[in-house]
Amino acid sequence: MAFWDNLWQGQRATQFDSGSAASNSIELTKRHPSVSLSKQGAATGNLRVNLSWRMRSSDIEGRSRRSGGLLRHPFKLFKPEVVQAHTQGVVNVDLDIGCMYELTDGSKGVVQPLGSLFGDLNGPPYVKLSGDDRFGAPSGETIFVNLDHQEEIKRLLVFVYIYDQTPAFDRTHAKVTLYPSNGPRIEIELDEHAPQARSCAVFSLENIKGELIVRREVKFVYGFQAELDRLYGWGMQWGRGYKTKT
């Protein structure tokens, strides 16, 4: 795509967001940690949950200085400064998204890339992972939740973890965005300072007396899923998992 196409798209995005950001997105924070999907009229259809992450600007600036500066390569001015944090050769970080689930019939499990546990959207657990993105795709990773079966879902816990490579949550600007079938998107920044953490519980979704509540968690732990399990009382047995090599 030509530079001018990128510039035009950027201008259109700015015009769209200006003056309407408040009505098009809800940011969950420590002070405002929860939102009711039911009250938003968004408790039906497929809920799309997207994980994206980027290098922090300090890492980008450092890389620019080491590369010899911009004067030697003036066309670098036209390259986007934000790149995916898990692109090979830039930052050795690979974030994955997963979801623990508990259904109203008592069944429990996890949807995640490890063990190729990608779930099912139209049958239990009504949660499906779109795939494991390890190659820097701008779209990141996505989980879908079929809220048309909300009466069968007791609770979900969506988490992000670093399977291998360097534990470096502090070097990435990670964000999880929820796109309901109706109403504004919901954004959660992973903005706590926990550089050595391996996993982070991002948000929970609970069916409380027929009302679907999304609650910001953003709790970092230094272990993996078993530690998140203990923290939230899921009570499952965990073993060593592996990703399928591609």
Side-chain angles (χ1 to χ4, degrees), residues 98-166:
C99 178
M100 295 184 198
Y101 62 84
E102 181 178 359
L103 304 183
T104 53
D105 65 2
S107 58
K108 302 176 183 179
V110 63
V111 172
Q112 62 181 17
L114 286 178
S116 299
L117 301 172
F118 294 113
D120 192 328
L121 192 61
N122 297 312
Y126 309 106
V127 179
K128 185 171 180 60
L129 177 65
S130 65
D132 176 21
D133 169 36
R134 284 174 277 171
F135 304 103
S139 59
E141 295 187 5
T142 302
I143 281 178
F144 294 92
V145 182
N146 188 344
L147 297 183
D148 288 337
H149 292 270
Q150 60 173 284
E151 69 280 358
E152 299 177 58
I153 299 173
K154 180 178 180 180
R155 59 172 178 161
L156 305 177
L157 178 69
V158 171
F159 59 93
V160 172
Y161 63 99
I162 301 174
Y163 168 66
D164 53 14
Q165 311 299 344
T166 305

Side-chain angles (χ1 to χ4, degrees), residues 31-154:
R31 293 187 61 184
H32 303 284
S34 64
V35 63
S36 169
L37 293 182
S38 301
K39 291 181 179 178
Q40 296 285 336
T44 58
N46 290 335
L47 172 66
R48 179 162 61 96
V49 180
N50 179 254
L51 163 68
S52 61
W53 69 100
R54 308 183 302 243
M55 288 178 61
R56 289 195 182 277
S57 58
S58 59
D59 291 333
I60 298 168
E61 292 164 1
R63 181 166 58 90
S64 298
R65 287 194 293 268
R66 290 192 299 271
S67 65
L70 293 176
L71 292 177
R72 188 178 299 176
H73 304 286
F75 284 102
K76 287 186 177 180
L77 286 169
F78 302 128
K79 292 185 178 180
E81 291 194 356
V82 175
V83 296
Q84 290 293 324
H86 60 335
T87 300
Q88 292 298 320
V90 179
V91 175
N92 208 20
V93 178
D94 177 18
L95 300 185
D96 289 307
I97 191 170
C99 178
M100 295 184 198
Y101 62 84
E102 181 178 359
L103 304 183
T104 53
D105 65 2
S107 58
K108 302 176 183 179
V110 63
V111 172
Q112 62 181 17
L114 286 178
S116 299
L117 301 172
F118 294 113
D120 192 328
L121 192 61
N122 297 312
Y126 309 106
V127 179
K128 185 171 180 60
L129 177 65
S130 65
D132 176 21
D133 169 36
R134 284 174 277 171
F135 304 103
S139 59
E141 295 187 5
T142 302
I143 281 178
F144 294 92
V145 182
N146 188 344
L147 297 183
D148 288 337
H149 292 270
Q150 60 173 284
E151 69 280 358
E152 299 177 58
I153 299 173
K154 180 178 180 180

Side-chain angles (χ1 to χ4, degrees), residues 27-33 51-54 56 95 160 168-176 187-195 197 199-203 216-220:
E27 183 179 0
L28 297 187
T29 63
K30 286 183 176 180
R31 293 187 61 184
H32 303 284
L51 163 68
S52 61
W53 69 100
R54 308 183 302 243
R56 289 195 182 277
L95 300 185
V160 172
F169 272 109
D170 62 328
R171 295 185 66 187
T172 64
H173 181 76
K175 178 171 68 174
V176 170
E187 299 179 344
I188 304 172
E189 302 276 355
L190 277 61
D191 51 6
E192 305 289 337
H193 184 70
S199 307
C200 177
V202 181
F203 74 89
R216 176 190 184 272
E217 302 292 340
V218 190
K219 294 180 180 178
F220 289 90

